[in-house]
Amino acid sequence: MTLREVYQLGKKQAQSGEIGAYCTDFDVLCLFEHCFGRDRQALIVHGAERASRPQMETFFSLLKKRLLENRYSIF
């Protein structure tokens, strides 16, 4: 899976509400930057690069945790 695909899948999961609460694109981007060490510009330039499995697992794990924690928030 490429970096771009990972980010897009994360955005889709965050916006769908399937896991928990809605999460903004900014939240997803912050988690992506934390896990992959790539900001938005680097994602555009290097989006076709392969994502490492440990980083993907960390990203989706943190995203799921974020969505589940926000499930009860009114904001």
Side-chain angles (χ1 to χ4, degrees), residues 33 38-46:
E33 289 179 6
R38 306 281 179 129
D39 62 8
R40 187 170 48 94
Q41 291 82 10
L43 177 59
I44 293 168
V45 175
H46 302 285

Side-chain angles (χ1 to χ4, degrees), residues 51-68:
S52 75
R53 180 165 298 284
Q55 288 174 316
M56 282 189 337
E57 290 172 356
T58 301
F59 173 72
F60 287 115
S61 172
L62 290 175
L63 179 61
K64 183 176 181 180
K65 182 178 178 183
R66 173 82 172 137
L67 292 169
L68 291 173

Side-chain angles (χ1 to χ4, degrees):
M1 197 174 228
T2 66
L3 293 172
R4 186 175 298 113
E5 291 169 340
V6 170
Y7 175 71
Q8 289 173 342
L9 181 58
K11 272 182 44 175
K12 182 180 176 185
Q13 287 180 357
Q15 294 171 348
S16 71
E18 292 174 9
I19 295 175
Y22 175 84
C23 192
T24 66
D25 290 350
F26 180 74
D27 293 326
V28 176
L29 184 59
C30 288
L31 288 174
F32 185 88
E33 289 179 6
H34 173 74
C35 294
F36 292 96
R38 306 281 179 129
D39 62 8
R40 187 170 48 94
Q41 291 82 10
L43 177 59
I44 293 168
V45 175
H46 302 285
E49 290 180 8
R50 287 298 220 196
S52 75
R53 180 165 298 284
Q55 288 174 316
M56 282 189 337
E57 290 172 356
T58 301
F59 173 72
F60 287 115
S61 172
L62 290 175
L63 179 61
K64 183 176 181 180
K65 182 178 178 183
R66 173 82 172 137
L67 292 169
L68 291 173
E69 286 176 356
N70 280 347
R71 168 172 41 185
Y72 301 109
S73 174
I74 59 171
F75 299 105

